[in-house]
Amino acid sequence: MHETLSEFLKGFGEQIVTFKGFACAFALLFVDFCAIAIFCKSYSEKKFCHKKWNRRFEYLALVDENRVIPIENSEILLGRHRSSDIQFPDLSVSRYHAVLTFSDGILLLDDLNSKSGTYVNGKRIKSAVIKINDEIRIGAMIFSIKKIKDGDNGKRKKEA
Amino acid sequence: MVKEKKKLNYFFIRLLILLTHSILLGTIYLNGNYTDIMEVIKLSAVVLTSDIIYFIIAGCMEQDTYTVDFLLILIMNISMIFQSCFGNVHFNLKHFITIVAGMVTYHIGYYFTRNSFKSEKLKPYYYAGTILLIGVIVLFTGSRSMWIDFGAFSIQPSEFMKPLFILICATSLYKQQDKKKIWYFMVTPNNLAMFAMAAVIFGLQWWCRDLGSIPTFAAVIGCAIINRMCYPRAKFSKKKIVFLVVMILAAALVAIKFAPGYVKDRLYVDIWAHMDGNGYQQSRALIAIAEGGWLGKGPGFGRLYKVAAYDTDIVFSAVSEEWGLLAVILFVVLILLLLATSLINTPRCYYHGTIAVGVTAVFVVQMSLNIFGSCNLIPFTGVTLPFLSNGGTSMVTSAFLVGMLKASQSPVFVRNIVAKKPDKSEKRG
């Protein structure tokens, strides 16, 4: 291992001391630098996209008795199963109960053939467009979609 | 009031890309093997002008992220520089044309896949397109070939099946909860159709002896299966997973058992004992890597260009000889960074997630087959190294795939849903 490393350094050292080697190493270093700069920029893009996405979603969140969960994906699965995007730990809720999709500024709720059904403002639905403050019931769980401020993201409501 | 930024500033990135290409071109000017300086000037003018033109075009486009665009133009023009140096520095017009075609298909790939809702509606067409390509291969390429010649150039239709197959995998992810009972089994029709298409593709690849592409398609379907395991609505049971793994292992064993003679030879060949036979390309490729060392002999000073497929199948070694092992490893790292951008700016729906994983699988498997095949770590296959290898079909397909990858970072969610107006009776109520 030690010999391999020393051979590597020796070979590299022999090549880099020549003009050709130095020029090539400099060019490669610059490619490296450029790649790192672009990669770092993608982190700025991530932050930028996050803000833009929130604007696009108008800072919407699913609000139930205890939680405020910001909607940050185009497709959100609601159910009892732990792999659901938003989990409702209640036996009246099916494992994969309903799916909430957001497109073109409109929220759509689709029932996934659940046993207890999905209700919007008291009416059982198969698929329905959701408006802000509509009361949604899946099983025994009741929640609504509300506008929130940016600062409230992910925070739990204090229990009364 | 503080105004919110509409776009990020990319001036520094643009400048860096121009400087990087300029420094690489400067290295050719100082170290390169050329007979006419005009060739270097022509190459430099084309590379730098295409950079600037692309920056202007990209600036006019409305999208959330641009890093994939910039990484792609960086990679494409580095590839242009590398390809123009084999044997002697010259402007490689053919490669430039393929790069322009690639950049066009990159944008087509993006616009085609950025809206998951629209793309899902096109699902029957993806199946139809794949079946059409299979028909073309069966009718026009013959049982032991994969190329169709059109005079001066030729195309490999099986390459175009890669993006179509990824789209089939992505669009079949929806409606996983819809199950039907066939005999005694509850199956998801979408999954059944996907597996059937995969089986047909594998059979076809075997029939036309395009065995190098089988691992790529296998990786895509493997990732699609893993995605289904992660996708909540799929409810993939442990039994099904075990059954699939056993089936895949059995298929692999049968494939090795009944593999054609030349494939078995390649599995066990000693390249140094058969330097003028089965080990011809690999032994020359390894010698070239060793001769190039870490920093290369210099642009245009390589000797590997005398060996067949120097600019496609063993391009890794050809670049390594002239520019050094570090340069070609850096090129591979650039492609990996391109793929890694979707880990930073993660996809926002399962459709785009499946596409990102499928595209990554295609690139990683292709690069592994090409690089490790050149280095004699695995049997040698005729698979290209994305973006670096010469060849229009490979370039166009790879660029289309990157367009699909960008779609996962700059998606559009428009479904033309119209909110129903409440009925009069509801209003009264």
Side-chain angles (χ1 to χ4, degrees):
Chain A
M1 181 69 191
H2 180 71
E3 278 179 18
T4 318
L5 192 69
S6 59
E7 272 177 27
F8 160 74
L9 289 172
K10 196 183 163 190
F12 187 71
E14 277 172 7
Q15 279 196 307
I16 207 166
V17 289
T18 60
F19 177 70
K20 268 187 183 180
F22 182 76
C24 189
F26 179 71
L28 295 184
L29 205 68
F30 215 84
V31 176
D32 231 356
F33 183 55
C34 186
I36 291 166
I38 297 176
F39 204 62
C40 291
K41 195 73 182 176
S42 66
Y43 276 98
S44 313
E45 277 185 340
K46 186 188 177 181
K47 283 181 191 167
F48 180 73
C49 283
H50 187 72
K51 277 184 187 171
K52 202 173 173 182
W53 195 256
N54 276 339
R55 273 205 309 276
R56 207 177 281 170
F57 277 115
E58 298 162 321
Y59 299 102
L60 290 179
L62 187 150
V63 181
D64 72 2
E65 216 172 277
N66 302 313
R67 299 178 294 180
V68 177
I69 304 163
I71 296 170
E72 291 177 338
N73 279 316
S74 74
E75 188 187 349
I76 295 163
L77 189 79
L78 313 171
R80 197 180 75 237
H81 199 275
R82 63 180 175 178
S83 58
S84 302
D85 295 317
I86 298 176
Q87 194 190 354
F88 294 92
D90 190 286
L91 285 173
S92 62
V93 178
S94 295
R95 280 184 296 176
Y96 307 104
H97 198 108
V99 68
L100 196 64
T101 46
F102 184 88
S103 72
D104 206 12
I106 290 171
L107 274 166
L108 191 78
L109 186 68
D110 290 300
D111 184 77
L112 297 174
N113 303 325
S114 61
K115 276 181 188 170
S116 52
T118 303
Y119 296 81
V120 176
N121 295 329
K123 277 187 179 177
R124 185 165 184 160
I125 57 110
K126 179 78 186 153
S127 178
V129 173
I130 306 296
K131 282 169 249 153
I132 291 166
N133 294 329
D134 273 354
E135 187 193 78
I136 301 164
R137 181 158 68 84
I138 60 171
M141 305 304 291
I142 297 170
F143 62 89
S144 57
I145 305 293
K146 289 185 189 295
K147 274 192 179 182
I148 52 160
K149 283 179 188 173
D150 195 20
D152 290 344
N153 284 5
K155 282 184 185 173
R156 279 174 177 273
K157 275 184 179 177
K158 280 181 186 175
E159 283 180 27
Chain B
M1 244 178 97
V2 183
K3 271 190 178 180
E4 278 192 87
K5 277 184 190 176
K6 279 191 175 177
K7 260 184 184 181
L8 289 172
N9 189 358
Y10 293 93
F11 176 75
F12 184 60
I13 298 289
R14 287 177 180 134
L15 192 70
L16 266 178
I17 292 170
L18 274 173
L19 275 173
T20 306
H21 288 148
S22 305
I23 287 170
L24 284 169
L25 291 163
T27 312
I28 296 177
Y29 175 70
L30 294 171
N31 290 343
N33 175 23
Y34 50 86
T35 44
D36 185 3
I37 186 75
M38 279 311 289
E39 288 293 323
V40 182
I41 293 170
K42 206 197 293 180
L43 176 67
S44 310
V46 168
V47 167
L48 298 177
T49 312
S50 60
D51 272 349
I52 293 165
I53 290 172
Y54 189 71
F55 294 155
I56 294 167
I57 293 170
C60 298
M61 287 179 178
E62 278 293 318
Q63 55 201 45
D64 293 345
T65 60
Y66 290 87
T67 43
V68 175
D69 291 80
F70 292 131
L71 268 171
L72 189 67
I73 192 72
L74 178 72
I75 289 170
M76 289 283 207
N77 272 336
I78 291 177
S79 153
M80 180 70 209
I81 292 168
F82 286 166
Q83 279 283 349
S84 297
C85 292
F86 294 137
N88 191 348
V89 178
H90 60 285
F91 172 61
N92 190 336
L93 180 65
K94 190 190 166 196
H95 196 64
F96 180 69
I97 292 168
T98 58
I99 284 177
V100 173
M103 293 311 286
V104 173
T105 47
Y106 161 67
H107 286 284
I108 293 171
Y110 168 61
Y111 285 109
F112 201 64
T113 50
R114 64 181 181 164
N115 189 337
S116 61
F117 304 116
K118 275 187 184 173
S119 184
E120 209 200 336
K121 282 180 188 166
L122 297 172
K123 191 169 73 175
Y125 295 101
Y126 301 146
Y127 281 95
T130 312
I131 291 165
L132 185 75
L133 281 173
I134 290 169
V136 167
I137 292 166
V138 170
L139 292 173
F140 297 105
T141 67
S143 68
R144 296 294 178 263
S145 171
M146 45 201 144
W147 292 92
I148 302 175
D149 295 320
F150 291 99
F153 66 98
S154 49
I155 60 163
Q156 191 180 358
S158 62
E159 281 283 309
F160 301 128
M161 283 199 296
K162 287 173 189 168
L164 280 174
F165 189 57
I166 293 173
L167 285 168
I168 285 173
C169 291
T171 49
S172 64
L173 197 66
Y174 287 100
K175 294 184 179 171
Q176 290 288 317
Q177 75 278 7
D178 292 348
K179 295 189 188 241
K180 280 183 183 173
K181 196 168 188 179
I182 297 177
W183 292 328
Y184 298 102
F185 304 102
M186 289 297 283
V187 291
T188 310
N190 270 348
N191 288 351
L192 208 62
M194 185 188 78
F195 285 124
M197 191 50 82
V200 172
I201 290 172
F202 287 143
L204 180 83
Q205 304 287 1
W206 186 270
W207 179 71
C208 63
R209 293 289 182 264
D210 185 10
L211 302 182
S213 295
I214 289 182
T216 312
F217 284 102
V220 174
I221 188 103
C223 288
I225 292 168
I226 292 167
N227 262 29
R228 271 153 186 73
M229 283 155 65
C230 301
Y231 190 56
R233 277 188 269 172
K235 301 180 195 172
F236 242 58
S237 66
K238 283 174 191 167
K239 278 181 194 170
K240 273 183 196 165
I241 294 163
V242 171
F243 173 74
L244 276 170
V245 170
V246 171
M247 288 292 285
I248 290 164
L249 285 174
L253 285 172
V254 170
I256 292 170
K257 174 88 178 160
F258 294 101
Y262 78 96
V263 175
K264 282 181 183 171
D265 286 346
R266 282 189 193 178
L267 283 175
Y268 309 109
V269 70
D270 177 2
I271 60 163
W272 302 112
H274 300 89
M275 276 183 72
D276 293 321
N278 263 348
Y280 180 76
Q281 280 170 307
Q282 277 169 298
S283 58
R284 264 57 175 192
L286 280 174
I287 291 167
I289 293 172
E291 282 182 355
W294 294 105
L295 298 168
K297 289 176 175 175
F301 286 102
R303 288 189 304 163
L304 200 64
Y305 72 95
K306 291 170 187 167
V307 177
Y310 70 94
D311 59 346
T312 50
D313 301 349
I314 51 169
V315 70
F316 180 84
S317 309
V319 175
S320 184
E321 185 186 21
E322 294 194 349
W323 290 85
L325 189 60
L326 286 179
V328 75
I329 288 173
L330 197 57
F331 188 87
V332 173
V333 169
L334 281 177
I335 298 176
L336 291 176
L337 286 181
L338 186 77
L339 302 174
T341 49
S342 58
L343 289 175
I344 298 169
N345 214 336
T346 48
R348 291 187 181 271
C349 65
Y350 293 103
Y351 164 81
H352 284 128
T354 314
I355 283 182
V357 172
V359 171
T360 308
V362 168
F363 279 109
V364 169
V365 171
Q366 272 194 216
M367 286 195 296
S368 307
L369 287 174
N370 184 290
I371 296 165
F372 299 137
S374 295
C375 300
N376 194 32
L377 292 170
I378 56 169
F380 189 62
T381 51
V383 176
T384 53
L385 188 64
F387 302 115
L388 190 55
S389 290
N390 200 355
T393 319
S394 165
M395 182 67 84
V396 163
T397 312
S398 302
F400 192 91
L401 289 171
V402 175
M404 287 163 68
L405 193 75
K406 187 173 82 167
S408 69
Q409 291 172 44
S410 298
V412 171
F413 296 108
V414 179
R415 199 153 85 164
N416 298 327
I417 305 165
V418 181
K420 279 183 186 173
K421 287 179 183 174
D423 294 337
K424 284 179 183 175
S425 56
E426 280 180 18
K427 272 184 183 176
R428 278 173 209 149

